[in-house]
Amino acid sequence: MKFSVLATLSLVAGPVAAEVYYKEQFNDNDWSKRWVESSKWKPKAEMGKWEHTAGEWYADKDDKGIQTSEDARFYGISAKMDKTFTSGDKELVLQYSVKHEQNLDCGGAYIKLLPGKVDQPKFGGDTPYSIMFGPDICGSSNKRTHVILHSNAKDENILIKKDVNTETDDLTHLYTLVIRPDNTFEVLIDNKSVRSGKLDEEFDFLAEKEIMDPEASKPEDWVDEAKIPDPEDKKPDGYDDIPEEIPDPDASKPDDWDDEDDGEWEAPMIDNPDYKGPWSPKMIDNPDYKGKWVHPMIPNPEYSYDDSMYKVCKDGCTHVGFELWQVKTGTLFDDIIVTDSLEEAQKFAEETFFKKSGDEKKMYDKIQEEKKAAEMADMGEAGDMGDMEDLDGFEDEF
């Protein structure tokens, strides 16, 4: 397992008592008592059913998660955390695993961290959230890991500026988001750091430091033209008399041409090699050109640094939830943890994701090999049937 550099530094700094605010492994039948489906979000016919399953390939059939099971449906489900997380002097870590068994073509697989009181049966797309994090795939061009954080100052949700890549294969992958009190963040996939940086640089939490001077405007005598027509250049005499096309000098009247029947023969027209198009004077450097005018910038009076950008759970985050639309279903979620320690999340990953991933891959490979063998066998049978039909045709010749 590879640790991120920032995670390693946090371990060297010394042990800090970690607190777990929520942990879910879905390995008991009481999971449905802890989670509430969004029964009042959309009409029942539009909502998909959650299956409690280990999926088609797994390390342990008794190690289950929850999986979307019906195509072209909305999915909504949420759970109250064991403890409320309030942003303070510790980092916030949100981690969970995702497995797409359906060769996902269009659908979300992100998790949300919700603040305050949540009307769980009504939990849906309009429910306020503090974090939206995880993979979102639709078509070949839209494949990303969403990172959307709530800005208290702007009272809006802010999407990361540059897309974060995501995993698109059929195996389980681990997604981890860390928000730190120094206003930095980190995204890890399978415990490998794929993006990290400052919140104010990667998100539009703050106003621009500089703005265009509203008092400035381009001078009326400013010369924008870098080139001008050469005043010394004159159109040659007879230039306009040169035709665009001329009779083909190499053409000759066909021997079988009859002037009485076919009319007077005329040579076909071809492009005139001497014709150079409409005349225009050549361009020269403009001696009065001052360069491209650049609007002067001034400090933005609205700009101020916000030390509390990281406080996405300023008023306390209380629930986790999945609010999704999937065209083709089969995404399985498992091993959720909300904690204030990346080290704690990584320990949980060792006990769950990394413990299972090897055996899951072996089972997956075996299933794919069996499918391929079955397909080859079917193709062979189809070929044999074709040969038999050819023989029938051959016998009919006698």
Side-chain angles (χ1 to χ4, degrees):
M1 179 179 69
K2 296 182 180 179
F3 284 85
S4 72
V5 174
L6 293 175
T8 303
L9 291 174
S10 69
L11 298 180
V12 174
V16 178
E19 191 163 0
V20 175
Y21 299 85
Y22 186 71
K23 185 185 288 187
E24 177 63 81
Q25 294 178 262
F26 298 104
N27 287 337
D28 63 288
N29 291 327
D30 286 339
W31 74 271
S32 58
K33 296 178 181 178
R34 298 187 296 272
W35 288 76
V36 178
E37 293 196 45
S38 302
S39 58
K40 297 182 180 180
W41 173 33
K42 297 281 185 181
K44 187 176 181 180
E46 297 179 16
M47 298 297 294
K49 181 181 178 183
W50 292 94
E51 295 284 355
H52 186 220
T53 177
E56 188 178 349
W57 43 88
Y58 45 79
D60 180 352
K61 64 180 178 60
D62 294 322
D63 192 321
K64 300 179 179 182
I66 56 172
Q67 185 177 42
T68 58
S69 66
E70 298 176 86
D71 291 347
R73 293 289 188 274
F74 290 97
Y75 290 86
I77 195 167
S78 60
K80 186 175 182 180
M81 290 161 48
D82 300 323
K83 303 174 186 177
T84 297
F85 177 86
T86 303
S87 300
D89 59 356
K90 292 185 177 182
E91 61 189 11
L92 167 59
V93 183
L94 174 60
Q95 177 175 283
Y96 73 119
S97 71
V98 180
K99 176 172 60 168
H100 300 303
E101 291 192 336
Q102 74 276 44
N103 187 22
L104 183 64
D105 55 356
C106 190
Y110 35 79
I111 192 170
K112 288 184 174 181
L113 192 58
L114 313 173
K117 294 181 179 180
V118 178
D119 188 346
Q120 291 179 261
K122 293 183 179 179
F123 167 58
D126 294 330
T127 304
Y129 62 87
S130 297
I131 292 176
M132 176 171 151
F133 170 63
D136 184 31
I137 297 171
C138 198
S140 59
S141 60
N142 182 14
K143 297 179 180 180
R144 71 184 77 174
T145 298
H146 268 313
V147 187
I148 304 177
L149 307 177
H150 183 73
S151 167
N152 295 300
K154 292 186 174 183
D155 192 24
E156 63 182 64
N157 299 318
I158 302 175
L159 176 68
I160 195 169
K161 294 179 184 178
K162 184 180 178 182
D163 282 353
V164 180
N165 291 335
T166 195
E167 297 292 335
T168 58
D169 61 32
D170 301 332
L171 298 172
T172 299
H173 291 283
L174 187 73
Y175 291 83
T176 310
L177 173 65
V178 188
I179 308 294
R180 297 188 170 94
D182 62 355
N183 278 329
T184 62
F185 77 101
E186 186 172 14
V187 176
L188 302 94
I189 300 179
D190 298 344
N191 206 39
K192 296 177 183 178
S193 183
V194 296
R195 182 70 60 81
S196 62
K198 298 179 179 179
L199 292 176
D200 58 309
E201 293 179 355
E202 299 279 347
F203 299 80
D204 289 326
F205 272 97
L206 307 177
E208 297 292 335
K209 289 184 178 181
E210 292 186 323
I211 59 172
M212 290 189 291
D213 184 355
E215 302 298 325
S217 60
K218 185 170 69 174
E220 293 182 1
D221 61 349
W222 190 274
V223 178
D224 283 316
E225 295 77 21
K227 299 281 186 179
I228 58 172
D230 183 356
E232 303 298 325
D233 192 19
K234 304 297 182 184
K235 183 165 62 175
D237 293 337
Y239 187 93
D240 292 337
D241 297 331
I242 300 173
E244 292 186 41
E245 294 183 327
I246 58 173
D248 184 354
D250 296 324
S252 59
K253 183 168 70 172
D255 294 336
D256 60 351
W257 188 274
D258 188 311
D259 288 342
E260 292 185 3
D261 293 338
D262 300 326
E264 183 179 354
W265 181 83
E266 294 181 356
M269 304 297 287
I270 62 172
D271 291 339
N272 185 354
D274 296 328
Y275 179 72
K276 298 178 182 179
W279 184 85
S280 60
K282 67 180 181 180
M283 303 299 285
I284 61 172
D285 291 337
N286 187 352
D288 297 324
Y289 178 59
K290 297 181 180 180
K292 184 179 179 180
W293 186 76
V294 179
H295 202 122
M297 305 295 285
I298 61 171
N300 184 359
E302 301 296 324
Y303 172 82
S304 64
Y305 187 79
D306 182 5
D307 290 320
S308 63
M309 285 180 285
Y310 74 97
K311 291 186 176 182
V312 293
C313 293
K314 172 187 172 184
D315 298 322
C317 287
T318 57
H319 294 71
V320 294
F322 297 100
E323 168 269 308
L324 315 168
W325 161 260
Q326 290 199 334
V327 176
K328 186 189 291 184
T329 56
T331 301
L332 192 147
F333 303 98
D334 200 3
D335 300 328
I336 306 166
I337 187 171
V338 180
T339 179
D340 57 17
S341 165
L342 179 55
E343 180 183 5
E344 185 68 26
Q346 289 173 329
K347 286 180 180 178
F348 184 56
E350 286 285 3
E351 298 166 0
T352 54
F353 172 75
F354 288 103
K355 183 180 179 180
K356 297 181 286 186
S357 58
D359 289 338
E360 178 192 301
K361 179 67 164 58
K362 290 178 183 178
M363 185 175 183
Y364 173 79
D365 290 341
K366 181 181 179 182
I367 290 174
Q368 299 311 308
E369 289 173 4
E370 291 172 350
K371 285 183 178 179
K372 185 175 181 180
E375 290 172 359
M376 294 297 291
D378 290 342
M379 290 175 62
E381 290 179 3
D384 292 342
M385 290 298 294
D387 292 341
M388 291 297 293
E389 291 175 0
D390 290 342
L391 286 173
D392 289 344
F394 178 75
E395 291 170 355
D396 290 343
E397 297 294 325
F398 295 89

